[in-house]
Amino acid sequence: MNTKALLLFWLISPLLLLSACKKEIKTTFSLNNVALVAEGPLTEGSNTAQGTVKEALAAFLKEHNLTPEQITNVKLTKAVVHAPDSVGFDLVKSITLQLASDGAEMVEAGVVNPVPAGAKMATLQLPAEPKNMLYTLKQNTFTLVADLDIKQDTSMNFPLTGNLEFEVTHH
Amino acid sequence: MRFTILLSLFLAFIAPFSASAQDNADKLLGIWESGNGKARVKVEKISNKYYGKIVWLREPNDPVTKQPKMDKNNPDESLRATPLKGYRMLKDFVYKNNEWTDGTIYDPESGSTYNCVIKMKDENTLEIRGYVGVKALGRTDTWKRLETKK
């Protein structure tokens, strides 16, 4: 090994050792009771329900004394939607959930098709390879978008709530 | 005082242009039929971006299962139960320089997603160009408006 290569090895090896020691921690983070509404009149077929979430990560960062830069990945691990008790999901055939924001690409959160008969809550099938939602959650505001396949026309609004659980990877 | 007057004049001058740009951007809203007539797509606005979802299919049912078509070509197997009717095939478009850009278009027949730019030829005609990498390497489809914006 020539002298230059040896010198380079001694210079780089502490850095490699340091980065290997930088431990990654996984923490669960939840967004509960996000209110979404599909404004009526609703027509048979696909209708859009939306709900806005502001500063999603703020409380999590404060609680764990973190900066946004310390987070490397946010993975959705569970998504559940609830219908109003009085109505249930009787009117709804399927639900597709997405997260949208001005500063990041829309990401698919999951789907339930068909919605079980008589259900008042539905747990969504998540993507097998979940996308990193960090960029979406870092935005000041993002929109939770639910596409509801409605069985028949109705003049009502359709409100629902969403509970999302994420696994946050950080240093 | 002079600054306030100048600022007021400037804002009064700029406001109509800003409103006009917004009006032009929102011309994309409405229901559009693809060139092959197989699907109709409703474009809506979420926050400041434009998204389009399939609201009508000429053949809504799968010829084999006789059930409503699902996204059977989705690269992610766990999402293949997503109904095609309601599927968001246009995503994340922003209005810049008289076109809607920075978005993607999904082709349910191949399960592929392409970069996309949308131009309005006239009030009722869109040119939708899907491409990979550079705009020159792509294909343009012409869509017709079915319904005026809501």
Side-chain angles (χ1 to χ4, degrees), chain B:
Chain B
M1 181 67 182
R2 184 189 288 176
F3 175 75
T4 311
I5 293 167
L6 282 173
L7 185 66
S8 304
L9 284 170
F10 174 74
L11 289 174
F13 179 75
I14 208 85
F17 291 102
S18 170
S20 166
Q22 193 54 60
D23 287 348
N24 283 338
D26 286 352
K27 281 180 182 170
L28 189 63
L29 302 176
I31 297 178
W32 301 86
E33 186 168 273
S34 61
N36 59 18
K38 285 183 177 178
R40 292 173 186 168
V41 174
K42 181 180 183 180
V43 176
E44 56 188 7
K45 194 176 180 180
I46 298 172
S47 194
N48 290 309
K49 290 190 193 171
Y50 296 86
Y51 300 83
K53 64 177 175 181
I54 298 168
V55 290
W56 179 91
L57 289 166
R58 191 166 61 197
E59 293 168 11
N61 292 335
D62 186 294
V64 178
T65 64
K66 311 292 178 200
Q67 295 298 309
K69 280 183 179 170
M70 294 190 282
D71 185 23
K72 65 180 182 184
N73 295 315
N74 194 312
D76 191 323
E77 279 186 37
S78 58
L79 296 178
R80 289 181 182 171
T82 307
L84 265 195
K85 222 169 105 182
Y87 199 95
R88 287 183 187 274
M89 64 180 298
L90 300 175
K91 286 182 183 174
D92 296 310
F93 286 85
V94 291
Y95 186 68
K96 286 182 212 167
N97 306 322
N98 297 320
E99 61 184 26
W100 293 265
T101 185
D102 296 348
T104 58
I105 186 165
Y106 177 72
D107 175 10
E109 290 184 347
S110 66
S112 303
T113 300
Y114 304 95
N115 296 113
C116 185
V117 62
I118 303 173
K119 287 182 182 176
M120 188 167 273
K121 207 171 159 190
D122 60 53
E123 291 264 322
N124 297 309
T125 313
L126 294 179
E127 283 184 344
I128 310 255
R129 182 158 187 83
Y131 62 96
V132 180
V134 284
K135 282 181 196 172
L137 301 174
R139 192 175 70 84
T140 302
D141 193 19
T142 303
W143 290 16
K144 289 284 177 189
R145 188 191 290 278
L146 280 186
E147 194 179 283
T148 52
K149 65 179 180 178
K150 284 184 179 174

Side-chain angles (χ1 to χ4, degrees), chain A residues 58-170:
Chain A
F60 175 83
L61 293 173
K62 197 175 173 186
E63 186 187 341
H64 293 86
N65 198 24
L66 293 169
T67 61
E69 291 71 31
Q70 288 174 274
I71 298 178
T72 54
N73 195 297
V74 179
K75 189 171 79 176
L76 184 68
T77 53
K78 192 174 184 184
V80 179
V81 285
H82 296 261
D85 278 348
S86 57
V87 185
F89 281 123
D90 288 349
L91 262 181
V92 181
K93 282 195 243 179
S94 67
I95 304 165
T96 308
L97 198 68
Q98 294 117 140
L99 275 65
S101 70
D102 285 346
E105 289 175 3
M106 176 179 262
V107 278
E108 283 152 358
V111 62
V112 54
N113 180 30
V115 175
K120 290 186 176 175
M121 62 165 279
T123 302
L124 277 77
Q125 169 76 44
L126 305 184
E129 292 167 19
K131 293 209 174 133
N132 186 354
M133 294 189 173
L134 173 60
Y135 303 105
T136 304
L137 267 66
K138 262 185 177 177
Q139 306 296 313
N140 282 335
T141 303
F142 75 83
T143 307
L144 196 57
V145 182
D147 290 313
L148 310 173
D149 191 3
I150 300 280
K151 288 177 186 167
Q152 62 190 54
D153 293 359
T154 173
S155 57
M156 296 188 322
N157 286 346
F158 194 89
L160 59 158
T161 52
N163 293 339
L164 307 178
E165 203 172 283
F166 301 91
E167 181 189 86
V168 181
T169 307
H170 58 90

Side-chain angles (χ1 to χ4, degrees), chain A residues 5 8-9 14 16 20 26 36 120 140 157 159 161:
Chain A
L8 198 65
F9 171 78
L16 290 173
K26 293 184 191 300
L36 295 92
K120 290 186 176 175
N140 282 335
N157 286 346
T161 52

